[in-house]
Amino acid sequence: MGRLPSRRYASEDLHIRGVLGGGVAQASRDQWSSSFGFFAAAVGSAVGLGNMWRFSYLTAEKGGAAFVALYLVFTLVIGIPVLLAELTLGRGAQKGPIGALAHFGGERWKALGALFVVTGFLILSYYSVIAGWTLRYALESLTVGIPRDAAAHFGSVSEGADAFLFHALFMAITMVIVGGGVSRGIERVSVVAMPLLFVLVCALALYGATLENSAGGYRYYLNADFANALSLDVLVAAAGQAFFSLSLGMGAMMTFASYLPREAHLTRESWVIASADFGVAFLAGLMVFPIIFALGLQGAVGESTLGALFVALPGAFAEMGGTGRFVGLLFFVALVVGALTSALSLFEVVVSAAIDELGWSRPKAVLIMGVLVTLLGAGAAWNIAVLDLMDQVANNLFLLAGGLALAVFTGWVMDEPIAEARAGLGSSRGLGIWRFLLRWVVPPVLIFVLWHSVPATLENLWMFFAG
Ligand code: PHE
């Protein structure tokens, strides 16, 4: 973070946009007020439940370090190029996905942008249900403490009216912040939330190191079992996780970049964002696994499911008495903070589309879209199997397909992507490799992954509906 100069963005930037950006800036469009503001919001989007909950449960389910290694490879080879593509498109067009794709590709590309908005809608509606669980656990740790029978407790709060209520509460908070606008709502919250989250995760990882038997946790986490990692199922999960964790494939990063001035250095931003995102995921593993192993709960992890962490960890905290309650509080606060800043970006995609494409005012867009997302989340709140399905459909289909389309669009369709990426203060170092990856590496890899994830996901959908 230290290397990032936090300069204030001058409003004159609005007038020096080059021809490539195509643009006369709209006078009324909000902008980040400093480079740190953008950085905090973008990292806030990337770092969330994906890093703490999803990363840990997938790592446990898919066999430890080998999954982590694969996920890292996908982040480098596919994630960072697509991230830079999103930043390039968003900043260049000064529009969210629908407008940006039309700007660089013509009207018919609008449909893809619209699909992104739908994806944001879908992800937010179940993401907020999980965030609601974390909110509840945080409040409970603060007030009454989490009951010792964590499994029964999770069973009773993860589905039904309770789950819906906390989901609605979480959405209400998201709506208030996004209603404040980009620089005065999202940015103001992110510049405080991100440093706080970072401190919390570091503190918890250090605490994990002090526990007896933490070595067992590290061994489990860091010992690669590559025989296991080469299964297609693990490959698909690692690719989906790389996209989900970096908020890619549905225009969230594109939307945030649309509030950037021309002077931003996009290549550097993408490296820093991706490193921060991976760093927090890695640290989250360092905090989760020692805690679980210290209490001999590894059985619960081996057969990990989506809810396992919400049972194993609270159970562990309850066992540890007073300290546990405090550590649990910090842990769930970290989850809430991470979830909130990610939800802001998901919601901003939907809200900005309504503002740009339907001409709505921000308050109207926030209110109507917020209520719709809350209602759509009812399914996931009522039945955890629905939530699991929505997560699979969103990640293994929509985000991967969205990433594929973005790579093809930027690599093959758009004119002069390199000039656009380097515009402002950027340099052209590495951009030739970037375009090569977008053209020749990202599409075949994603087609391969989709080839396996589409039938598997459709089969799960089918099994769900056929009973
Ligand atoms: N990246 C977020 C996380 O890790 C989730 C997210 C996905 C946010 C897609 C925005 C868009 O929790």
Side-chain angles (χ1 to χ4, degrees):
M1 242 183 254
R3 283 185 304 117
L4 257 190
S6 182
R7 291 184 296 111
R8 290 202 75 70
Y9 283 143
S11 53
E12 283 80 21
D13 295 325
L14 286 171
H15 306 296
I16 56 171
R17 261 179 212 121
V19 275
L20 280 167
V24 195
Q26 302 133 288
S28 61
R29 201 175 165 80
D30 206 349
Q31 268 200 347
W32 306 109
S33 60
S34 70
S35 55
F36 182 69
F38 167 72
F39 170 72
V43 173
S45 169
V47 173
L49 295 173
N51 302 60
M52 291 174 273
W53 157 75
R54 207 166 184 281
F55 172 78
S56 315
Y57 112 72
L58 283 177
T59 301
E61 185 184 87
K62 309 292 179 193
F67 171 81
V68 182
L70 262 180
Y71 156 67
L72 182 59
V73 170
F74 276 118
T75 299
L76 286 173
V77 177
I78 296 180
I80 293 178
V82 173
L83 173 57
L84 182 55
E86 287 210 20
L87 297 185
T88 302
L89 295 172
R91 182 191 62 174
Q94 299 282 301
K95 292 262 170 57
I98 300 181
L101 288 163
H103 179 91
F104 286 110
E107 288 293 304
R108 63 188 155 168
W109 284 91
K110 274 194 163 176
L112 179 61
L115 182 72
F116 287 174
V117 176
V118 171
T119 309
F121 210 91
L122 178 75
I123 296 184
L124 182 55
S125 70
Y126 76 83
Y127 195 83
S128 162
V129 173
I130 307 167
W133 301 342
T134 66
L135 187 59
R136 180 189 187 114
Y137 276 48
L139 291 174
E140 279 177 346
S141 318
L142 188 66
T143 53
V144 288
I146 295 170
R148 263 174 184 253
D149 190 351
H153 185 58
F154 180 70
S156 69
V157 305
S158 61
E159 295 178 309
D162 277 40
F164 183 77
L165 209 71
F166 278 88
H167 151 63
L169 180 62
F170 182 83
M171 273 308 298
I173 302 172
T174 306
M175 287 162 69
V176 169
I177 299 171
V178 172
V182 174
S183 57
R184 281 179 308 144
I186 299 175
E187 179 172 354
R188 269 215 223 148
V189 170
S190 305
V191 294
V192 179
M194 274 307 102
L196 171 69
L197 176 69
F198 187 70
V199 171
L200 284 175
V201 176
C202 286
L204 287 164
L206 284 176
Y207 170 75
T210 67
L211 294 173
E212 226 175 295
N213 204 12
S214 59
Y218 295 138
R219 220 173 300 123
Y220 177 83
Y221 179 38
L222 302 173
N223 256 351
D225 173 7
F226 281 100
N228 201 347
L230 291 179
S231 88
L232 286 169
D233 164 53
V234 180
L235 217 66
V236 169
Q241 175 65 6
F243 273 79
F244 184 82
S245 188
L246 276 175
S247 309
L248 297 177
M250 42 88 36
M253 289 298 181
M254 209 189 290
T255 304
F256 271 11
S258 76
Y259 303 111
L260 270 177
R262 197 85 187 143
E263 65 187 52
H265 189 318
L266 299 187
T267 327
R268 188 177 58 201
E269 297 288 358
S270 17
W271 278 103
V272 181
I273 295 167
S275 313
D277 185 52
F278 181 79
V280 174
F282 192 75
L283 278 175
L286 291 181
M287 77 183 178
V288 166
F289 292 106
I291 294 178
I292 288 177
F293 273 70
L295 286 130
L297 293 166
Q298 43 272 47
V301 173
E303 61 218 44
S304 181
T305 58
L306 175 155
L309 283 183
F310 288 93
V311 175
L313 284 176
F317 297 141
E319 290 295 316
M320 294 179 206
T323 332
R325 189 154 154 196
F326 181 64
V327 173
L329 175 64
L330 297 188
F331 178 77
F332 287 112
V333 167
L335 280 174
V336 172
V337 169
L340 184 63
T341 50
S342 296
L344 298 181
S345 73
L346 285 161
F347 196 39
E348 180 61 24
V349 172
V350 177
V351 167
S352 72
I355 295 174
D356 288 346
E357 304 304 318
L358 306 176
W360 291 3
S361 68
R362 181 167 284 266
K364 178 177 172 188
V366 165
L367 196 67
I368 296 182
M369 294 304 183
V371 169
L372 289 177
V373 170
T374 308
L375 293 179
L376 182 66
W382 244 265
N383 183 346
I384 203 168
V386 172
L387 191 159
D388 193 7
L389 262 186
M390 288 170 85
D391 185 52
Q392 285 186 37
V393 169
N395 288 286
N396 302 346
L397 296 184
F398 285 28
L399 294 188
L400 293 177
L404 172 62
L406 277 171
V408 170
F409 182 84
T410 314
W412 295 99
V413 178
M414 179 184 175
D415 287 333
E416 309 232 32
I418 294 185
E420 189 59 62
R422 149 188 91 206
L425 298 182
S427 79
S428 34
R429 255 182 60 213
L431 290 179
I433 302 176
W434 171 58
R435 194 169 67 160
F436 176 82
L437 289 171
L438 285 179
R439 285 191 156 185
W440 300 107
V441 177
V442 179
V445 172
L446 284 181
I447 289 171
F448 177 79
V449 175
L450 278 162
W451 188 260
H452 296 282
S453 71
V454 172
T457 312
L458 292 180
E459 192 183 313
N460 286 345
L461 266 177
W462 170 250
M463 281 187 348
F464 181 79
F465 286 109

